[in-house]
Amino acid sequence: MFKNVIVRVPSQTVSEGITSANEGKPDYRKALVQHENYVSALTKLGVDVTVLAPHDEFPDSCFVEDVALCTSKVAIITRPGALTRRKEAELPDMKEALEKFNQNIETIKEPGTVESGDIMMVGDHFYIGLSARTNQAGADQMIAILEKYGLSGEAVPLKEVLHLKTGLSYIENNNLLVSGEFKNDPRFDTFNKLEIDPDEAYGANCIWVNGTVIVASGYPKIQKKIEGLGYPVLNVDTSEYRKIDGGLSCLSLRF
């Protein structure tokens, strides 16, 4: 169960965020409303939400998931692979928020790079995607830190997606949403896999929060499959964040 969530309000410069989506620039006011609805959905599910102030100098800083990994035993401050995002991990308010909830704080060091959009938690085990943003040195450091605290991890090479959780979402009880390159990956054969159709690939990024699954609005086939497993579903519109390569999990740290 999750007790706490950290989010950051999108900045007025959010339209300048990194993107490969080719879907136009996000509208700041719409992004604000969608973020407020996202926080509201989380609050309904029984978590306390810490809301950090926007930082206009960092257009992507609303995607707080990438700058830290929060586990039951340690919080790990990452070193983002995107150069324009690297200093986000050093922002004092994020460090203060992490220290409020975690006695143990560790940090990824150069030459390692890690963005936690590449990390999927399954119990005490963490799958770490090797991507353009997360390198082998970063994954090795992350695994060493996890093992120091009695946790475990393994690296997963990526071929197509930006981040591991672009194409995978673990929704507990051994249920895993899979799309694209992960459908036939033997690493995930022990899971009950819910395969996502290519036309709903973006919707594969869902988040489980205390028994409910939050699903991006507009992906009815995914929602039906999740509801078929007995999960309640909440819909949140993230269309403005899709324009800058962001999804549901990117917008929060959950622990």
Side-chain angles (χ1 to χ4, degrees), residues 223-234:
Q223 179 168 339
K224 184 176 181 180
K225 287 186 177 184
I226 294 170
E227 289 174 336
L229 293 174
Y231 294 100
V233 166
L234 278 180

Side-chain angles (χ1 to χ4, degrees), residues 3 76 82 113 134 206 212 228 236:
K3 295 180 179 179
I76 304 165
T113 62
T134 297
C206 301
T212 294
V236 175

Side-chain angles (χ1 to χ4, degrees), residues 7 30 42 105 118 154 179 212 236 253:
V7 302
K30 289 182 180 178
L42 289 166
I105 305 285
D118 278 319
E154 67 179 279
S179 67
T212 294
V236 175
L253 288 166

Side-chain angles (χ1 to χ4, degrees), residues 93-108:
D93 59 347
M94 175 58 75
K95 187 175 182 183
E96 289 170 10
L98 293 172
E99 289 175 342
K100 176 183 176 182
F101 297 108
N102 298 275
Q103 290 184 328
N104 302 311
I105 305 285
E106 302 275 357
T107 306
I108 300 298

Side-chain angles (χ1 to χ4, degrees), residues 63-70 76-81 85 108 113-121 126-129 131 133-134 142 163-166 249-250 252-254:
F63 300 132
V64 291
E65 179 180 58
D66 288 321
V67 300
L69 177 70
C70 294
I76 304 165
I77 297 173
T78 67
R79 185 169 178 266
R85 302 198 62 192
I108 300 298
T113 62
V114 176
E115 294 185 7
S116 292
D118 278 319
I119 303 179
M120 182 178 71
M121 178 180 72
F126 295 78
Y127 293 92
I128 304 168
S131 68
R133 306 286 185 85
T134 297
M142 184 65 72
H163 282 140
L164 182 75
K165 283 187 292 197
T166 304
S249 72
C250 314
S252 62
L253 288 166
R254 305 163 300 280

